[in-house]
Amino acid sequence: MQPIISISNLSKTYASGHRALKDVSLDIKAGEILALLGPNGAGKTTLISIICGIVNPTSGSVRVSGYDIISDYRKTRSMIGLVPQELTLGAFETVWNTLCFSRGLFGKKPDSAYLEQLLKDLSLWEKKDSELMALSGGMKRRVLIGKALSHQPSVLFLDEPTAGVDVNLRKDMWKIVRHLRETGVTIILTTHYIEEAEEIADRVAVINNGELLLVDNKDTLMHKLGKRQLVIELEKPVTAIPAALSAWKLDLSTDGYFLSYTYDPLKAQTGIAELLQALSKAKLLLRDVNTSQSSLEEIFINLVNTK
Amino acid sequence: MNIQAIRVIYKYEMLRAWETILQSFISPVISTALYFVVFGAAIGSRIQTVDGVPYGVFIVPGLMMLALLTQSIANASFGIFFPKFTGTIYEVMSAPISFIEILLGYVGAAATKSFIIGLIILATAGFFVPLEIAHPLWMLSFLILTCISFSLFGFIIGLWADNFEKLQVIPMLVITPLVFLGGSFYTIDMLSPVWQTVTLFNPVVYLISGFRWSFFEVSDVSVELSMFMVLVFLAGCLITVWWMFKSGYRLKQ
Ligand SMILES: Nc1ncnc2c1ncn2[C@@H]1O[C@H](COP(=O)(O)OP(=O)(O)OP(=O)(O)O)[C@@H](O)[C@H]1O
Ligand SMILES: [Mg+2]
């Protein structure tokens, strides 16, 4: 199936000379929830801003449903809704007016019934005549989501939708996102919270320093997450792994003291008992045994730090 | 053409004016009335007529221009500066909308507001002095073209300004002197020859002269030249704004 968004060799160098994106290529599938993970300054907002037409790319191209974001900007932009990272809202308009404004801006005829339902879904219907400045931060965030959805986009970008949001609202937000996905909307969200990616994403992309480090199905990552490591410390170092232990695919540390065995704790046979027997048969004396679990967080930190 | 986008930008810009109606419509009327009292009554009692026109009547076109220019620039510059300042401009930039549509919405609304203010001032003036308009069509053309071109000019300032200070500087330091020195309250030939020449480099002179001609058939320069200069200014603003959008100037990184 054709990807709904196809990013090819996208680079961005700001006027300051800062290279915010370096040759990023990424395909986003229609209907999926993609979490864009990365530390501060990684380039997440820059990437989103380019796709939405707020920032000019330096090189490379982006297609949305096969249309180029620059030469066919009317087609691509009308398919996209954007919830920005900052709470950027006017002060004196009412909630209702700001939604009508957004819908019109994206070329859609007024549709009170749709907007009413949208406000109800976002629990904002009672606030429809309130001025924006009289709303709490969480409500403002929901108004921004409402604005982004006011023109019924098929792709929704959420730039840190849950930053500075309490637990309840975050759960609400996830519910909204899942509901949207059911209606066929493709969702790309950026976040610093690994749990958030784990909770709702289908796929996870990790970006750091303007480079795309990894894109993978969450399940694949969760599988890695499920893996455990058994680290065996030996009394005396060995220079090579004895042939008798080859079945376990062990890793030997460079100093020869540590053997590590990666296994899936969910399997009926972990192979640990046999490994320990084999070790004593091979006359290797154990000093200590340790198990550790890798988390998505660890995978993430490793990725980000090694590059 | 994204008609809906033009419609909502125009509508909400007008709504903003309506909500701040005191500031938008009433304050220009009050300040014009004050000018009338000071210039028309106080000075007018000494200078009886200018080119055969009673002084109180003579200053009406200049007063209207003063208000039109300041209001057009203030409205249009604020209209685009404010969303830039608060960050809400992201939405306009991410919308399927071309720069022509953005212009039609923002500048159209600002020009409409100025046009309404112009008419209100004209009515206020008619309340103080008897008014006759010799060439209503020329008068309307000058009125409309001035509203449009100076709203465009204000839009450019709003795009260019990256802080409130810059937003205020141009209207205060450039426009007000140009209008005052542009013959709002006198004719050019009242000045010394040197200043008469200097004044011809002031675009506002042509504006006021042409506008005044459409009222009283008295002018400093020919009405065709006035119209030509207004159109040149309009074209200059259009080209500037086109270039600004094309290059993403101050909007896109
Ligand atoms: N307008 C700009 N001019 C110059 N540099 C910029 C500009 N905008 C962003 N940058 C730089 O580009 C890099 C990427 O910024 P970006 O906002 O895309 O990061 P991010 O991943 O969204 O970070 P965060 O998680 O903090 O929101 C940063 O180093 C930032 O300083
Ligand atoms: Mg960001």
Side-chain angles (χ1 to χ4, degrees), chain A residues 12 14 52-56 73-75 77-78 82-84 88-90 92 96-98 100-102 104-110 144 147, chain B residues 1-9 11-12 15 19 82 86-88 90-99 101 106 247-248 251-253:
Chain A
K12 173 67 190 179
Y14 280 109
C52 295
I54 296 168
V55 168
N56 285 323
Y73 72 96
R74 279 190 202 267
K75 289 212 174 71
R77 291 189 198 171
S78 45
L82 165 66
V83 181
T88 36
L89 275 176
F92 304 106
W96 180 256
N97 281 349
T98 197
C100 292
F101 178 78
S102 299
L105 210 52
F106 281 76
K108 286 275 166 87
K109 291 212 176 70
L144 283 172
K147 279 166 81 72
Chain B
M1 199 72 164
N2 188 345
I3 302 288
Q4 293 297 334
I6 303 173
R7 187 185 64 82
V8 290
I9 292 176
K11 178 177 164 190
Y12 286 102
L15 206 66
E19 276 162 5
F82 198 63
T86 59
T88 51
Y90 84 88
E91 203 181 14
V92 177
M93 288 164 66
S94 66
I97 176 171
S98 70
F99 93 92
E101 290 149 3
Y106 281 105
S247 62
L251 276 182
K252 267 195 199 187
Q253 261 100 28

Coordinates of all heavy atoms in Angstrom, one line a residue, chain A residues 12 14 52-56 73-75 77-78 82-84 88-90 92 96-98 100-102 104-110 144 147, chain B residues 1-9 11-12 15 19 82 86-88 90-99 101 106 247-248 251-253:
Chain A
K12 N 17.3 20.0 6.8 CA 17.0 21.4 7.1 C 18.2 22.0 7.8 O 18.7 21.5 8.9 CB 15.8 21.4 8.0 CG 15.5 22.8 8.5 CD 15.1 23.8 7.4 CE 15.0 25.2 7.9 NZ 14.7 26.1 6.8
Y14 N 18.9 25.7 9.4 CA 18.4 27.0 9.8 C 19.3 28.1 9.4 O 20.5 27.8 9.2 CB 18.0 27.1 11.3 CG 16.7 26.4 11.6 CD1 16.7 25.2 12.3 CD2 15.5 26.9 11.2 CE1 15.5 24.6 12.7 CE2 14.3 26.3 11.5 CZ 14.3 25.2 12.3 OH 13.1 24.6 12.6
C52 N 4.0 20.4 7.4 CA 2.8 21.3 7.5 C 3.0 22.6 6.7 O 2.0 23.3 6.6 CB 2.4 21.6 8.9 SG 1.9 20.1 9.8
G53 N 4.2 22.9 6.2 CA 4.3 24.1 5.4 C 4.7 25.3 6.2 O 4.7 26.5 5.8
I54 N 5.2 25.1 7.5 CA 5.5 26.3 8.3 C 7.0 26.6 8.2 O 7.4 27.8 8.3 CB 5.1 26.0 9.8 CG1 3.6 25.8 9.9 CG2 5.6 27.1 10.7 CD1 3.2 25.3 11.2
V55 N 7.8 25.6 7.9 CA 9.2 25.8 7.7 C 9.6 25.3 6.3 O 9.0 24.2 5.9 CB 10.0 25.0 8.8 CG1 11.5 25.0 8.5 CG2 9.8 25.7 10.2
N56 N 10.5 26.0 5.6 CA 10.9 25.5 4.3 C 12.0 24.4 4.5 O 12.9 24.6 5.2 CB 11.5 26.7 3.5 CG 10.4 27.6 3.0 OD1 9.3 27.1 2.6 ND2 10.7 28.9 3.0
Y73 N 0.7 22.2 -2.5 CA 0.5 22.5 -1.1 C -1.0 22.5 -0.7 O -1.4 22.2 0.4 CB 1.2 23.7 -0.7 CG 0.6 25.0 -1.2 CD1 -0.3 25.7 -0.4 CD2 0.9 25.5 -2.5 CE1 -0.9 26.9 -0.9 CE2 0.3 26.7 -3.0 CZ -0.6 27.4 -2.2 OH -1.2 28.5 -2.6
R74 N -1.9 23.0 -1.7 CA -3.3 23.1 -1.3 C -3.9 21.7 -1.0 O -4.6 21.5 0.0 CB -4.1 23.7 -2.4 CG -4.0 25.2 -2.4 CD -5.0 25.7 -3.4 NE -4.7 27.0 -3.9 CZ -5.1 28.2 -3.3 NH1 -5.9 28.1 -2.3 NH2 -4.8 29.3 -3.8
K75 N -3.5 20.7 -1.8 CA -4.0 19.3 -1.6 C -3.4 18.8 -0.3 O -4.2 18.2 0.5 CB -3.6 18.4 -2.8 CG -4.4 18.7 -4.0 CD -4.6 17.5 -4.8 CE -5.5 17.7 -6.0 NZ -4.9 18.5 -7.1
R77 N -2.0 20.2 2.3 CA -2.3 20.9 3.6 C -3.8 20.7 4.0 O -4.1 20.7 5.2 CB -2.0 22.4 3.5 CG -0.6 22.7 3.4 CD -0.3 24.2 3.5 NE 1.0 24.5 3.0 CZ 1.4 25.7 2.8 NH1 0.6 26.7 3.1 NH2 2.6 26.0 2.4
S78 N -4.7 20.5 3.0 CA -6.1 20.4 3.4 C -6.3 19.0 4.0 O -7.3 18.7 4.7 CB -7.0 20.7 2.3 OG -6.6 20.1 1.1
L82 N -2.9 20.1 12.5 CA -1.7 20.2 13.3 C -2.0 20.8 14.7 O -2.7 21.8 14.8 CB -0.7 21.2 12.6 CG 0.5 21.7 13.5 CD1 1.4 20.6 13.9 CD2 1.3 22.8 12.8
V83 N -1.6 20.1 15.7 CA -1.7 20.6 17.1 C -0.3 21.0 17.5 O 0.6 20.1 17.7 CB -2.3 19.5 18.1 CG1 -2.4 20.1 19.5 CG2 -3.6 19.0 17.6
P84 N 0.0 22.3 17.6 CA 1.3 22.7 17.9 C 1.8 22.4 19.3 O 1.0 22.2 20.2 CB 1.3 24.2 17.6 CG -0.1 24.6 17.9 CD -1.0 23.4 17.6
T88 N -0.5 28.0 21.5 CA -0.7 29.3 20.8 C -2.1 29.4 20.4 O -2.7 28.8 19.5 CB 0.2 29.3 19.5 OG1 0.1 27.9 19.0 CG2 1.6 29.6 19.8
L89 N -2.8 30.3 21.2 CA -4.2 30.6 20.9 C -4.4 32.1 21.1 O -3.7 32.8 21.8 CB -5.1 29.9 22.0 CG -5.5 28.5 21.7 CD1 -6.2 27.9 22.9 CD2 -6.3 28.4 20.4
G90 N -5.4 32.6 20.4 CA -5.8 34.0 20.6 C -6.3 34.2 22.0 O -6.4 33.3 22.8
F92 N -9.2 36.7 22.8 CA -10.5 37.2 23.0 C -11.6 36.5 22.2 O -12.8 36.7 22.4 CB -10.5 38.7 22.7 CG -9.6 39.5 23.5 CD1 -8.4 40.0 22.9 CD2 -9.8 39.7 24.8 CE1 -7.5 40.7 23.7 CE2 -8.9 40.4 25.6 CZ -7.7 40.9 25.0
W96 N -16.0 28.7 20.1 CA -16.8 28.4 18.9 C -16.2 29.1 17.7 O -16.0 28.5 16.7 CB -18.3 28.7 19.2 CG -19.1 28.4 18.0 CD1 -19.6 29.3 17.1 CD2 -19.6 27.2 17.5 NE1 -20.4 28.7 16.1 CE2 -20.4 27.4 16.4 CE3 -19.4 25.8 18.0 CZ2 -21.0 26.3 15.7 CZ3 -20.0 24.8 17.3 CH2 -20.8 25.0 16.2
N97 N -16.0 30.4 17.9 CA -15.5 31.2 16.8 C -14.1 30.7 16.3 O -13.9 30.7 15.1 CB -15.4 32.7 17.2 CG -16.7 33.3 17.1 OD1 -17.7 32.8 16.6 ND2 -16.8 34.5 17.7
T98 N -13.3 30.3 17.2 CA -12.0 29.9 16.8 C -12.0 28.6 16.0 O -11.3 28.4 15.0 CB -11.0 29.9 17.9 OG1 -9.6 29.9 17.4 CG2 -11.1 28.7 18.8
C100 N -14.7 27.7 14.1 CA -15.2 28.1 12.8 C -14.2 28.7 11.9 O -14.1 28.5 10.7 CB -16.4 29.1 13.0 SG -17.8 28.4 13.8
F101 N -13.3 29.6 12.5 CA -12.2 30.2 11.8 C -11.3 29.1 11.2 O -11.0 29.1 10.0 CB -11.4 31.1 12.8 CG -10.3 31.8 12.1 CD1 -10.4 32.9 11.3 CD2 -9.0 31.3 12.3 CE1 -9.4 33.5 10.7 CE2 -7.9 31.9 11.8 CZ -8.1 33.0 11.0
S102 N -10.9 28.2 12.0 CA -10.0 27.1 11.5 C -10.6 26.4 10.4 O -9.9 26.1 9.4 CB -9.6 26.2 12.7 OG -9.0 26.8 13.7
G104 N -12.9 27.2 8.3 CA -12.9 28.1 7.1 C -11.5 28.2 6.4 O -11.4 28.2 5.2
L105 N -10.5 28.4 7.3 CA -9.2 28.6 6.8 C -8.7 27.4 5.9 O -8.0 27.6 5.0 CB -8.2 28.7 8.0 CG -7.0 29.6 7.9 CD1 -7.3 31.0 7.4 CD2 -6.3 29.7 9.3
F106 N -9.2 26.3 6.3 CA -8.8 25.1 5.5 C -9.8 24.8 4.4 O -9.8 23.7 3.8 CB -8.7 23.9 6.4 CG -7.3 23.9 7.2 CD1 -7.1 24.8 8.2 CD2 -6.3 23.1 6.7 CE1 -5.9 24.8 8.9 CE2 -5.1 23.2 7.4 CZ -4.9 24.0 8.4
G107 N -10.6 25.8 4.1 CA -11.4 25.7 2.9 C -12.7 25.0 3.0 O -13.4 24.7 2.0
K108 N -13.1 24.6 4.2 CA -14.4 23.9 4.4 C -15.5 24.8 4.7 O -15.4 25.8 5.4 CB -14.2 22.9 5.6 CG -13.4 21.7 5.3 CD -14.2 20.6 4.6 CE -13.3 19.5 3.9 NZ -12.9 18.4 4.8
K109 N -16.7 24.4 4.1 CA -17.9 25.2 4.4 C -18.3 25.0 5.9 O -18.0 24.0 6.5 CB -19.1 24.7 3.5 CG -18.9 24.9 2.1 CD -20.2 25.1 1.4 CE -20.1 25.5 -0.1 NZ -19.6 24.4 -0.9
P110 N -19.0 26.0 6.4 CA -19.4 25.9 7.8 C -20.2 24.6 8.0 O -21.0 24.2 7.1 CB -20.2 27.1 8.1 CG -19.8 28.1 7.0 CD -19.4 27.3 5.8
L144 N -7.0 23.4 20.9 CA -6.1 23.2 19.8 C -6.3 22.0 19.0 O -6.2 21.9 17.8 CB -4.6 23.3 20.4 CG -4.1 24.6 20.8 CD1 -2.7 24.5 21.4 CD2 -4.0 25.5 19.5
K147 N -9.3 22.6 17.0 CA -9.0 23.4 15.8 C -8.4 22.5 14.7 O -8.7 22.7 13.5 CB -8.0 24.6 16.2 CG -8.7 25.8 16.8 CD -7.7 26.7 17.4 CE -7.0 27.6 16.4 NZ -7.9 28.7 15.9
Chain B
M1 N -9.1 28.7 -5.7 CA -9.3 29.9 -4.8 C -10.0 29.4 -3.5 O -11.0 28.8 -3.6 CB -10.1 30.9 -5.5 CG -10.0 32.3 -4.9 SD -8.5 33.1 -5.2 CE -8.8 34.8 -4.8
N2 N -9.4 29.6 -2.4 CA -9.9 29.2 -1.1 C -10.8 30.3 -0.5 O -10.5 31.1 0.3 CB -8.8 28.9 -0.1 CG -9.3 28.2 1.2 OD1 -10.5 28.3 1.5 ND2 -8.4 27.7 1.9
I3 N -12.1 30.3 -1.1 CA -13.0 31.4 -0.8 C -13.3 31.4 0.7 O -13.4 32.4 1.4 CB -14.3 31.2 -1.6 CG1 -14.0 31.2 -3.1 CG2 -15.3 32.3 -1.2 CD1 -13.7 32.6 -3.6
Q4 N -13.5 30.2 1.3 CA -13.9 30.1 2.7 C -12.8 30.7 3.6 O -13.2 31.4 4.6 CB -14.0 28.6 3.1 CG -15.2 27.9 2.4 CD -16.5 28.5 2.8 OE1 -16.7 29.1 3.9 NE2 -17.5 28.4 1.9
A5 N -11.6 30.6 3.2 CA -10.5 31.1 4.0 C -10.5 32.6 4.0 O -10.4 33.3 5.0 CB -9.1 30.6 3.5
I6 N -10.7 33.2 2.8 CA -10.9 34.7 2.7 C -12.0 35.1 3.5 O -11.9 36.1 4.3 CB -11.1 35.1 1.2 CG1 -9.9 34.6 0.4 CG2 -11.2 36.6 1.1 CD1 -10.2 34.8 -1.1
R7 N -13.1 34.4 3.4 CA -14.3 34.8 4.2 C -14.1 34.8 5.7 O -14.4 35.8 6.4 CB -15.5 33.8 3.8 CG -16.8 34.1 4.4 CD -17.8 33.0 4.2 NE -17.5 31.8 4.8 CZ -17.8 31.5 6.1 NH1 -18.4 32.4 6.8 NH2 -17.4 30.4 6.7
V8 N -13.5 33.7 6.2 CA -13.3 33.7 7.7 C -12.3 34.8 8.2 O -12.5 35.4 9.2 CB -13.0 32.3 8.3 CG1 -14.2 31.4 8.2 CG2 -11.7 31.7 7.7
I9 N -11.2 34.9 7.4 CA -10.2 35.9 7.8 C -10.9 37.3 7.8 O -10.8 38.0 8.8 CB -9.0 36.0 6.9 CG1 -8.2 34.7 7.0 CG2 -8.1 37.1 7.2 CD1 -7.0 34.6 6.1
K11 N -14.1 38.0 8.0 CA -15.2 38.1 9.0 C -14.6 38.3 10.4 O -15.1 39.2 11.1 CB -16.0 36.8 8.9 CG -17.1 36.7 9.9 CD -17.9 35.4 9.8 CE -18.7 35.2 11.0 NZ -19.3 33.9 11.0
Y12 N -13.6 37.5 10.7 CA -13.1 37.6 12.1 C -12.3 38.9 12.3 O -12.2 39.4 13.5 CB -12.4 36.4 12.5 CG -13.4 35.3 12.8 CD1 -13.6 34.3 11.8 CD2 -14.2 35.3 13.9 CE1 -14.6 33.3 12.0 CE2 -15.2 34.4 14.1 CZ -15.4 33.4 13.2 OH -16.4 32.4 13.4
L15 N -15.0 41.3 12.9 CA -15.5 41.1 14.2 C -14.7 41.7 15.3 O -15.2 42.3 16.3 CB -15.6 39.6 14.4 CG -16.7 39.1 15.4 CD1 -18.1 39.4 14.8 CD2 -16.6 37.6 15.6
E19 N -15.8 44.4 18.1 CA -15.7 44.2 19.5 C -14.9 45.3 20.2 O -15.0 45.6 21.4 CB -15.0 42.9 19.8 CG -16.0 41.7 19.8 CD -15.4 40.4 19.7 OE1 -14.2 40.3 19.7 OE2 -16.2 39.4 19.6
F82 N -0.2 40.8 15.2 CA -0.6 40.2 16.5 C -0.6 38.6 16.4 O 0.0 38.0 17.3 CB -2.0 40.7 16.8 CG -2.4 40.4 18.2 CD1 -1.7 41.0 19.3 CD2 -3.4 39.5 18.5 CE1 -2.0 40.7 20.6 CE2 -3.8 39.3 19.9 CZ -3.0 39.8 20.9
T86 N 1.6 36.3 18.9 CA 1.1 35.3 19.7 C 1.5 33.9 19.2 O 1.4 32.9 20.0 CB -0.4 35.4 19.9 OG1 -1.0 35.2 18.6 CG2 -0.8 36.7 20.5
G87 N 1.9 33.8 18.0 CA 2.2 32.5 17.4 C 1.1 31.8 16.7 O 1.2 30.8 16.0
T88 N -0.1 32.4 16.7 CA -1.3 31.8 16.1 C -1.2 31.9 14.6 O -1.9 31.2 13.9 CB -2.6 32.5 16.5 OG1 -2.5 33.9 16.3 CG2 -2.9 32.2 17.9
Y90 N 0.8 30.3 12.9 CA 1.2 29.0 12.4 C 0.0 28.4 11.6 O 0.2 27.6 10.7 CB 1.5 28.0 13.6 CG 0.3 27.4 14.3 CD1 -0.2 26.2 13.8 CD2 -0.3 28.0 15.4 CE1 -1.3 25.6 14.4 CE2 -1.4 27.5 16.0 CZ -1.9 26.3 15.5 OH -3.0 25.7 16.1
E91 N -1.2 28.7 12.1 CA -2.4 28.1 11.5 C -2.6 28.6 10.1 O -2.9 27.8 9.2 CB -3.6 28.4 12.4 CG -4.7 27.4 12.1 CD -5.9 27.7 12.9 OE1 -6.1 28.8 13.5 OE2 -6.8 26.8 13.0
V92 N -2.4 29.9 9.9 CA -2.6 30.5 8.6 C -1.5 29.9 7.6 O -1.7 29.6 6.5 CB -2.5 32.0 8.6 CG1 -2.5 32.6 7.2 CG2 -3.6 32.6 9.5
M93 N -0.3 29.7 8.2 CA 0.8 29.2 7.4 C 0.6 27.8 7.0 O 1.1 27.3 6.0 CB 2.1 29.4 8.1 CG 2.5 30.9 8.1 SD 3.8 31.2 9.3 CE 5.1 30.2 8.6
S94 N -0.1 27.0 7.9 CA -0.2 25.6 7.6 C -1.5 25.3 6.8 O -1.8 24.2 6.5 CB -0.2 24.8 8.9 OG -1.3 25.1 9.6
A95 N -2.3 26.4 6.5 CA -3.5 26.2 5.8 C -3.3 26.2 4.3 O -2.4 26.8 3.8 CB -4.5 27.3 6.2
P96 N -4.2 25.6 3.5 CA -4.1 25.6 2.1 C -4.6 26.9 1.5 O -5.7 27.0 1.0 CB -5.1 24.4 1.7 CG -6.1 24.3 2.8 CD -5.4 24.8 4.0
I97 N -3.7 27.9 1.6 CA -4.1 29.2 1.3 C -2.9 29.9 0.7 O -1.8 29.7 1.1 CB -4.6 29.9 2.6 CG1 -5.0 31.4 2.3 CG2 -3.7 29.8 3.7 CD1 -5.7 32.0 3.5
S98 N -3.2 30.7 -0.4 CA -2.1 31.4 -1.1 C -2.0 32.8 -0.5 O -2.8 33.3 0.2 CB -2.4 31.5 -2.6 OG -3.5 32.4 -2.8
F99 N -0.9 33.5 -0.9 CA -0.7 34.8 -0.3 C -1.7 35.8 -0.8 O -2.1 36.7 -0.1 CB 0.8 35.3 -0.6 CG 1.0 36.1 -1.8 CD1 0.9 37.5 -1.7 CD2 1.3 35.5 -3.0 CE1 1.1 38.2 -2.9 CE2 1.5 36.3 -4.2 CZ 1.4 37.7 -4.1
E101 N -4.8 35.2 -1.2 CA -6.0 35.0 -0.3 C -5.8 35.6 1.1 O -6.7 36.2 1.7 CB -6.3 33.5 -0.2 CG -6.9 32.9 -1.5 CD -6.5 31.5 -1.8 OE1 -5.9 30.8 -0.9 OE2 -6.9 31.0 -2.8
Y106 N -6.9 39.8 5.1 CA -6.5 40.8 6.1 C -6.5 42.2 5.6 O -7.0 43.1 6.2 CB -5.0 40.5 6.5 CG -4.9 39.4 7.4 CD1 -4.5 38.1 7.1 CD2 -5.3 39.5 8.8 CE1 -4.4 37.0 8.0 CE2 -5.2 38.5 9.7 CZ -4.7 37.3 9.3 OH -4.7 36.2 10.2
S247 N 9.5 35.0 -0.7 CA 10.8 34.6 0.0 C 10.5 34.1 1.4 O 11.5 33.8 2.1 CB 11.7 35.8 0.0 OG 11.1 36.9 0.8
G248 N 9.3 34.1 1.8 CA 9.0 33.7 3.2 C 9.5 34.7 4.2 O 9.6 34.3 5.4
L251 N 8.5 35.2 8.0 CA 7.4 34.3 8.3 C 8.0 32.9 8.4 O 7.8 32.2 9.4 CB 6.3 34.3 7.3 CG 5.2 35.4 7.5 CD1 4.2 35.3 6.4 CD2 4.6 35.3 8.8
K252 N 8.7 32.5 7.3 CA 9.2 31.1 7.2 C 10.7 31.1 7.4 O 11.4 31.9 6.8 CB 8.8 30.5 5.9 CG 7.5 29.8 5.9 CD 7.4 29.0 4.6 CE 6.0 28.6 4.3 NZ 5.9 27.7 3.2
Q253 N 11.1 30.1 8.2 CA 12.5 29.9 8.2 C 13.0 29.0 7.1 O 12.3 28.0 6.8 CB 12.9 29.2 9.6 CG 13.5 30.2 10.6 CD 12.4 30.6 11.5 OE1 11.5 29.8 11.8 NE2 12.4 31.8 12.1

